Amino acid sequence: MKLPNITILDEKEPLLHQTSAKVTFPLSKEDKKHIEDMLTYLKMSQIEEYAEKYDLRAGMGLAYVQTGILKRIFVIVEELENHTFKNYVIINPEIISHSEEQIYVGEGEGCLSVNREIEGIVPRYARVTIKAQDIDGNPFTIRVREDISVAFQHEIDHLNGILFVDRINKQNPYQNMEKYREI
Ligand code: NI
Protein backbone atom coordinates (compact mmCIF):
# COMPACT_ATOMS: atom_id res chain seq x y z
CA MET A 1 0.00 0.00 0.00
CA LYS A 2 1.22 3.47 -0.84
CA LEU A 3 0.73 6.21 1.72
CA PRO A 4 -1.60 8.88 0.29
CA ASN A 5 -0.37 12.44 0.28
CA ILE A 6 -2.51 13.89 3.06
CA THR A 7 -1.56 16.73 5.37
CA ILE A 8 -3.48 16.86 8.62
CA LEU A 9 -3.95 20.26 10.23
CA ASP A 10 -2.94 20.81 13.82
CA GLU A 11 -5.41 22.16 16.39
CA LYS A 12 -3.74 25.60 16.26
CA GLU A 13 -5.05 26.14 12.72
CA PRO A 14 -8.02 28.56 12.82
CA LEU A 15 -9.71 26.59 10.00
CA LEU A 16 -10.43 23.78 12.47
CA HIS A 17 -12.69 26.18 14.34
CA GLN A 18 -14.79 27.06 11.32
CA THR A 19 -18.06 25.50 10.21
CA SER A 20 -17.88 23.31 7.11
CA ALA A 21 -20.23 23.89 4.20
CA LYS A 22 -22.96 21.57 2.97
CA VAL A 23 -21.88 19.40 0.03
CA THR A 24 -23.62 19.41 -3.34
CA PHE A 25 -23.67 16.51 -5.81
CA PRO A 26 -22.26 15.06 -7.94
CA LEU A 27 -18.88 15.07 -6.24
CA SER A 28 -15.88 15.97 -8.39
CA LYS A 29 -13.33 13.36 -9.35
CA GLU A 30 -10.91 15.11 -6.98
CA ASP A 31 -13.31 14.77 -4.05
CA LYS A 32 -13.85 11.06 -4.74
CA LYS A 33 -10.10 10.53 -4.88
CA HIS A 34 -9.59 12.54 -1.70
CA ILE A 35 -12.18 10.42 0.13
CA GLU A 36 -10.41 7.23 -1.03
CA ASP A 37 -7.09 8.69 0.13
CA MET A 38 -8.49 9.52 3.57
CA LEU A 39 -9.81 5.97 3.95
CA THR A 40 -6.47 4.50 2.88
CA TYR A 41 -4.59 6.78 5.27
CA LEU A 42 -6.72 5.70 8.25
CA LYS A 43 -6.48 2.04 7.34
CA MET A 44 -2.71 2.23 7.06
CA SER A 45 -2.51 4.08 10.38
CA GLN A 46 -4.24 1.08 12.00
CA ILE A 47 -1.89 -1.50 10.50
CA GLU A 48 1.21 -1.71 12.65
CA GLU A 49 3.59 -2.40 9.81
CA TYR A 50 2.62 0.85 8.00
CA ALA A 51 2.16 2.87 11.16
CA GLU A 52 5.76 2.12 12.07
CA LYS A 53 7.16 2.55 8.60
CA TYR A 54 5.54 5.96 8.09
CA ASP A 55 5.42 7.04 11.74
CA LEU A 56 1.61 7.32 11.79
CA ARG A 57 -0.56 7.80 14.84
CA ALA A 58 -3.48 5.38 14.69
CA GLY A 59 -6.72 7.11 13.78
CA MET A 60 -10.27 5.89 13.35
CA GLY A 61 -11.89 8.96 11.84
CA LEU A 62 -10.98 11.97 9.78
CA ALA A 63 -13.05 14.99 8.79
CA TYR A 64 -12.47 16.89 5.56
CA VAL A 65 -11.69 20.09 7.45
CA GLN A 66 -8.70 18.37 9.07
CA THR A 67 -7.19 18.19 5.59
CA GLY A 68 -7.90 21.87 4.97
CA ILE A 69 -11.23 21.68 3.12
CA LEU A 70 -14.41 23.05 4.67
CA LYS A 71 -16.91 20.48 3.40
CA ARG A 72 -19.32 18.42 5.46
CA ILE A 73 -17.67 15.06 4.83
CA PHE A 74 -16.02 12.62 7.19
CA VAL A 75 -14.77 9.07 7.00
CA ILE A 76 -14.35 6.37 9.63
CA VAL A 77 -12.43 3.12 9.34
CA GLU A 78 -13.41 0.47 11.85
CA GLU A 79 -11.12 -2.50 12.38
CA LEU A 80 -13.34 -5.57 12.61
CA GLU A 81 -10.82 -8.34 13.03
CA ASN A 82 -7.27 -8.91 11.97
CA HIS A 83 -6.82 -6.49 9.09
CA THR A 84 -10.40 -6.48 7.90
CA PHE A 85 -11.96 -3.06 7.93
CA LYS A 86 -15.34 -1.44 7.58
CA ASN A 87 -15.40 1.93 5.85
CA TYR A 88 -17.92 4.68 6.49
CA VAL A 89 -18.21 7.66 4.14
CA ILE A 90 -20.59 10.19 5.64
CA ILE A 91 -21.68 13.36 3.83
CA ASN A 92 -23.97 16.13 5.15
CA PRO A 93 -24.78 14.20 8.38
CA GLU A 94 -27.50 15.15 10.83
CA ILE A 95 -28.23 13.48 14.14
CA ILE A 96 -31.95 12.68 14.03
CA SER A 97 -32.20 10.88 17.38
CA HIS A 98 -30.03 9.72 20.24
CA SER A 99 -30.13 7.61 23.37
CA GLU A 100 -30.66 9.09 26.81
CA GLU A 101 -27.63 7.20 27.99
CA GLN A 102 -24.26 8.89 27.75
CA ILE A 103 -20.83 7.30 27.67
CA TYR A 104 -17.20 8.37 27.58
CA VAL A 105 -13.96 6.82 26.41
CA GLY A 106 -12.08 5.90 29.58
CA GLU A 107 -8.63 6.27 28.09
CA GLY A 108 -9.63 9.60 26.61
CA GLU A 109 -10.66 10.59 23.11
CA GLY A 110 -7.98 11.10 20.52
CA CYS A 111 -7.77 13.20 17.41
CA LEU A 112 -5.20 13.28 14.62
CA SER A 113 -5.23 17.09 14.91
CA VAL A 114 -4.46 17.09 18.65
CA ASN A 115 -0.86 16.12 19.22
CA ARG A 116 -0.58 16.31 23.00
CA GLU A 117 -1.79 14.49 26.07
CA ILE A 118 -5.26 15.60 27.14
CA GLU A 119 -6.78 15.05 30.58
CA GLY A 120 -10.52 14.69 30.87
CA ILE A 121 -13.65 13.05 29.56
CA VAL A 122 -16.10 13.93 26.81
CA PRO A 123 -19.68 12.74 27.40
CA ARG A 124 -21.25 11.33 24.22
CA TYR A 125 -24.54 9.62 23.44
CA ALA A 126 -24.26 5.84 23.64
CA ARG A 127 -26.34 5.45 20.47
CA VAL A 128 -27.18 7.88 17.69
CA THR A 129 -29.22 7.67 14.51
CA ILE A 130 -27.84 9.72 11.67
CA LYS A 131 -29.28 10.86 8.38
CA ALA A 132 -26.64 11.47 5.71
CA GLN A 133 -25.76 11.06 2.04
CA ASP A 134 -23.39 8.58 0.45
CA ILE A 135 -20.69 9.31 -2.10
CA ASP A 136 -23.30 9.42 -4.90
CA GLY A 137 -25.65 11.67 -2.95
CA ASN A 138 -28.12 8.92 -2.03
CA PRO A 139 -29.76 9.57 1.34
CA PHE A 140 -29.56 6.92 4.04
CA THR A 141 -29.91 6.58 7.78
CA ILE A 142 -27.56 4.67 10.04
CA ARG A 143 -27.74 3.79 13.72
CA VAL A 144 -24.44 3.41 15.53
CA ARG A 145 -23.48 2.56 19.08
CA GLU A 146 -20.59 2.57 21.55
CA ASP A 147 -17.18 3.53 20.10
CA ILE A 148 -18.58 4.10 16.62
CA SER A 149 -21.24 6.39 18.09
CA VAL A 150 -18.48 8.36 19.84
CA ALA A 151 -16.51 8.54 16.59
CA PHE A 152 -19.54 9.82 14.65
CA GLN A 153 -20.22 12.53 17.23
CA HIS A 154 -16.53 13.49 17.34
CA GLU A 155 -16.46 13.87 13.54
CA ILE A 156 -19.76 15.77 13.36
CA ASP A 157 -18.25 18.18 15.90
CA HIS A 158 -15.35 18.76 13.48
CA LEU A 159 -17.85 19.80 10.79
CA ASN A 160 -19.13 22.42 13.23
CA GLY A 161 -15.66 23.68 14.16
CA ILE A 162 -15.54 21.91 17.52
CA LEU A 163 -12.61 19.83 18.78
CA PHE A 164 -13.03 17.28 21.57
CA VAL A 165 -10.74 19.36 23.79
CA ASP A 166 -13.26 22.23 23.52
CA ARG A 167 -15.81 19.97 25.25
CA ILE A 168 -13.62 19.29 28.30
CA ASN A 169 -14.16 21.48 31.33
CA LYS A 170 -10.73 23.06 32.00
CA GLN A 171 -11.33 23.56 35.74
CA ASN A 172 -12.79 20.11 36.26
CA PRO A 173 -11.87 17.79 33.37
CA TYR A 174 -13.62 14.77 34.95
CA GLN A 175 -16.79 16.67 35.87
CA ASN A 176 -19.88 14.47 36.42
CA MET A 177 -18.09 11.34 35.24
CA GLU A 178 -20.17 9.19 37.62
CA LYS A 179 -23.23 10.09 35.55
CA TYR A 180 -21.88 8.43 32.43
CA ARG A 181 -20.85 4.91 31.50
CA GLU A 182 -17.20 4.31 30.68
CA ILE A 183 -16.35 2.41 27.51
NI1 NI B 1 -10.67 14.51 15.47
Side-chain angles (χ1 to χ4, degrees), residues 44-56:
M44 289 177 78
S45 82
Q46 293 181 35
I47 299 173
E48 211 177 288
E49 179 197 341
Y50 296 119
E52 252 176 52
K53 185 172 170 189
Y54 297 110
D55 193 25
L56 307 176

Side-chain angles (χ1 to χ4, degrees), residues 16 61-63 66 109-114 151 154-155 158 162-164:
L16 285 175
L62 196 56
Q66 292 178 274
E109 268 182 45
C111 178
L112 292 175
S113 293
V114 179
H154 176 117
E155 299 309 329
H158 273 304
I162 300 165
L163 297 178
F164 80 94

